[in-house]
Coordinates of all heavy atoms in Angstrom, one line a residue:
E1 N 0.9 -1.2 0.0 CA -0.1 -0.1 0.0 C 0.8 1.3 0.0 O 0.5 2.2 -0.7 CB -0.9 0.0 1.2 CG -2.0 -1.1 1.1 CD -2.9 -1.1 2.5 OE1 -2.6 -0.3 3.3 OE2 -3.7 -2.0 2.6
E2 N 2.0 1.4 0.8 CA 2.9 2.3 0.8 C 3.6 2.6 -0.5 O 3.6 3.7 -1.1 CB 3.9 2.2 2.0 CG 4.8 3.4 2.2 CD 5.9 3.5 1.2 OE1 6.4 2.5 0.6 OE2 6.4 4.6 1.0
E3 N 4.0 1.4 -1.2 CA 4.5 1.7 -2.5 C 3.6 2.3 -3.5 O 4.0 3.2 -4.3 CB 5.1 0.3 -3.0 CG 5.9 0.4 -4.3 CD 6.5 -0.9 -4.7 OE1 6.2 -2.0 -4.1 OE2 7.1 -0.9 -5.8
K4 N 2.4 1.9 -3.5 CA 1.4 2.4 -4.5 C 1.2 3.9 -4.1 O 1.1 4.7 -5.0 CB 0.1 1.8 -4.3 CG 0.0 0.3 -5.0 CD -1.3 -0.3 -4.7 CE -1.3 -1.9 -5.1 NZ -2.4 -2.5 -4.6
A5 N 1.0 4.2 -2.9 CA 0.9 5.6 -2.5 C 2.1 6.5 -2.9 O 1.9 7.6 -3.2 CB 0.6 5.6 -1.0
S6 N 3.3 6.0 -2.7 CA 4.4 6.7 -3.0 C 4.5 7.1 -4.4 O 5.2 7.9 -4.9 CB 5.7 6.0 -2.6 OG 6.0 4.9 -3.4
M7 N 3.9 6.3 -5.4 CA 3.9 6.5 -6.8 C 2.8 7.4 -7.2 O 2.8 7.9 -8.4 CB 3.9 5.2 -7.5 CG 5.1 4.3 -7.3 SD 5.0 2.8 -8.3 CE 6.7 2.1 -7.9
T8 N 1.7 7.4 -6.4 CA 0.6 8.2 -6.9 C 0.4 9.3 -5.8 O 0.7 10.4 -6.1 CB -0.7 7.4 -6.9 OG1 -0.9 6.7 -5.6 CG2 -0.5 6.4 -8.1
D9 N -0.3 9.1 -4.7 CA -0.7 10.2 -3.8 C -0.5 9.6 -2.4 O -1.3 8.7 -2.0 CB -2.1 10.7 -4.1 CG -2.6 11.8 -3.2 OD1 -1.6 12.4 -2.6 OD2 -3.6 12.1 -3.3
Y10 N 0.5 10.2 -1.6 CA 0.4 9.9 -0.2 C -0.6 10.3 0.7 O -0.7 9.8 1.8 CB 1.8 10.4 0.4 CG 3.0 9.4 0.4 CD1 4.2 9.9 0.1 CD2 2.8 8.2 0.8 CE1 5.3 9.0 0.2 CE2 4.0 7.3 1.0 CZ 5.2 7.7 0.6 OH 6.2 7.0 0.7
E11 N -1.4 11.2 0.2 CA -2.4 11.8 1.1 C -3.4 10.9 1.7 O -3.5 10.8 2.9 CB -3.2 12.9 0.3 CG -4.1 13.7 1.3 CD -4.6 14.9 0.6 OE1 -4.3 15.3 -0.5 OE2 -5.4 15.7 1.2
D12 N -4.0 10.0 0.9 CA -4.8 9.0 1.6 C -4.1 8.1 2.5 O -4.6 7.7 3.5 CB -5.4 8.2 0.4 CG -6.7 7.2 0.9 OD1 -7.5 7.8 1.6 OD2 -6.6 5.9 0.8
F13 N -3.0 7.6 2.1 CA -2.1 6.8 3.0 C -1.8 7.4 4.3 O -2.0 6.8 5.4 CB -0.9 6.4 2.2 CG 0.1 5.5 3.0 CD1 -0.3 4.1 3.0 CD2 1.1 5.9 3.9 CE1 0.5 3.1 3.6 CE2 1.8 4.9 4.5 CZ 1.6 3.6 4.4
I14 N -1.5 8.6 4.2 CA -1.0 9.4 5.5 C -2.2 9.5 6.5 O -2.1 9.3 7.6 CB -0.5 10.8 5.2 CG1 0.9 10.6 4.5 CG2 -0.5 11.7 6.4 CD1 1.4 12.0 3.9
Y15 N -3.4 9.8 6.0 CA -4.6 10.0 6.7 C -5.4 8.8 7.1 O -6.0 8.8 8.2 CB -5.5 11.1 6.1 CG -4.8 12.5 5.9 CD1 -4.7 12.9 4.7 CD2 -4.6 13.3 7.0 CE1 -4.1 14.2 4.5 CE2 -4.0 14.5 6.8 CZ -3.7 14.8 5.6 OH -3.2 16.1 5.3
H16 N -5.3 7.8 6.3 CA -6.2 6.7 6.4 C -5.7 5.4 6.6 O -6.3 4.3 6.9 CB -7.2 6.7 5.3 CG -7.9 8.0 5.1 ND1 -8.9 8.4 6.0 CD2 -7.9 8.9 4.1 CE1 -9.3 9.5 5.6 NE2 -8.7 9.8 4.4
N17 N -4.3 5.1 6.4 CA -3.8 3.7 6.5 C -3.7 3.4 8.1 O -3.0 4.3 8.8 CB -2.4 3.6 5.9 CG -1.7 2.3 6.2 OD1 -1.4 1.9 7.3 ND2 -1.9 1.4 5.2
S18 N -4.5 2.5 8.6 CA -4.6 2.3 10.0 C -3.3 2.1 10.7 O -3.0 2.6 11.8 CB -5.6 1.1 10.3 OG -5.3 0.0 9.7
T19 N -2.4 1.2 10.1 CA -1.2 1.0 10.7 C -0.3 2.1 10.8 O 0.2 2.4 11.8 CB -0.4 -0.2 9.9 OG1 -1.1 -1.4 9.9 CG2 0.9 -0.5 10.5
F20 N -0.3 3.0 9.8 CA 0.4 4.2 9.8 C 0.0 5.2 10.9 O 0.7 5.8 11.5 CB 0.6 4.8 8.4 CG 1.6 6.0 8.4 CD1 2.9 5.6 8.3 CD2 1.3 7.3 8.1 CE1 3.9 6.6 8.3 CE2 2.1 8.3 8.0 CZ 3.5 7.9 8.1
C21 N -1.4 5.3 10.9 CA -1.9 6.3 11.8 C -1.6 5.7 13.3 O -1.4 6.6 14.1 CB -3.5 6.4 11.7 SG -4.0 7.2 10.0
E22 N -1.7 4.4 13.6 CA -1.4 3.9 14.9 C 0.1 4.2 15.2 O 0.4 4.5 16.4 CB -1.7 2.3 14.9 CG -3.1 2.2 14.9 CD -3.5 0.7 14.7 OE1 -2.6 -0.2 14.6 OE2 -4.7 0.3 14.4
L23 N 1.0 4.1 14.3 CA 2.4 4.3 14.4 C 2.6 5.7 14.9 O 3.3 6.1 15.9 CB 3.2 4.1 13.3 CG 3.7 2.6 12.9 CD1 4.1 2.5 11.5 CD2 4.7 2.2 14.0
R24 N 1.8 6.7 14.2 CA 2.0 8.2 14.6 C 1.5 8.3 16.0 O 2.1 9.1 16.6 CB 1.1 8.9 13.5 CG 1.3 10.4 13.6 CD 0.6 11.2 12.5 NE -0.6 10.8 12.0 CZ -0.9 10.3 10.8 NH1 0.0 10.2 10.0 NH2 -2.1 10.0 10.6
E25 N 0.3 7.8 16.3 CA -0.3 8.0 17.7 C 0.7 7.4 18.8 O 1.0 8.0 19.8 CB -1.5 7.2 17.7 CG -2.7 8.1 17.0 CD -4.1 7.2 16.9 OE1 -4.2 6.3 17.7 OE2 -4.7 7.5 16.1
L26 N 1.2 6.2 18.5 CA 2.3 5.6 19.4 C 3.4 6.4 19.6 O 4.0 6.5 20.7 CB 2.4 4.2 19.1 CG 3.3 3.3 20.0 CD1 2.6 3.2 21.5 CD2 3.5 2.0 19.6
A27 N 4.0 6.9 18.6 CA 5.1 7.8 18.6 C 4.8 9.0 19.6 O 5.8 9.3 20.3 CB 5.5 8.2 17.2
L28 N 3.7 9.5 19.4 CA 3.3 10.8 20.3 C 3.3 10.2 21.7 O 3.7 10.9 22.7 CB 2.0 11.3 19.8 CG 1.5 12.5 20.7 CD1 2.5 13.6 20.6 CD2 0.2 13.0 20.1
K29 N 2.7 9.2 22.0 CA 2.5 8.6 23.4 C 3.9 8.3 24.0 O 4.2 8.6 25.1 CB 1.7 7.3 23.4 CG 0.2 7.7 23.2 CD -0.5 6.3 23.2 CE -2.0 6.5 22.9 NZ -2.8 5.3 22.8
T30 N 4.8 7.8 23.0 CA 6.2 7.6 23.5 C 6.9 8.9 23.9 O 7.6 8.9 24.9 CB 7.0 6.8 22.5 OG1 6.2 5.5 22.1 CG2 8.4 6.4 22.9
I31 N 6.7 9.9 23.1 CA 7.3 11.1 23.4 C 6.8 11.7 24.8 O 7.6 12.2 25.6 CB 7.0 12.3 22.3 CG1 7.7 11.8 21.0 CG2 7.4 13.6 22.6 CD1 7.2 12.6 19.8
Q32 N 5.6 11.5 25.0 CA 5.0 12.0 26.3 C 5.5 11.2 27.5 O 5.7 11.7 28.5 CB 3.4 11.8 26.2 CG 2.8 12.9 25.3 CD 1.4 12.6 24.9 OE1 0.9 11.6 25.1 NE2 0.8 13.6 24.3

């Protein structure tokens, strides 16, 4: 999914890929 997004449009991937969104949230919690 990431490879397809990198060739077309990352926007949907950034906002809607559940694994990526969870990574972003966990990174924030880790910082805290």
Side-chain angles (χ1 to χ4, degrees):
E1 291 174 5
E2 188 277 335
E3 184 176 4
K4 287 177 191 171
S6 71
M7 294 182 174
T8 56
D9 185 11
Y10 258 140
E11 190 167 356
D12 188 59
F13 183 84
I14 290 170
Y15 297 115
H16 302 293
N17 181 281
S18 61
T19 302
F20 193 65
C21 290
E22 289 167 9
L23 279 170
R24 186 170 45 243
E25 290 172 20
L26 186 57
L28 179 59
K29 288 178 185 174
T30 303
I31 290 168
Q32 292 167 341

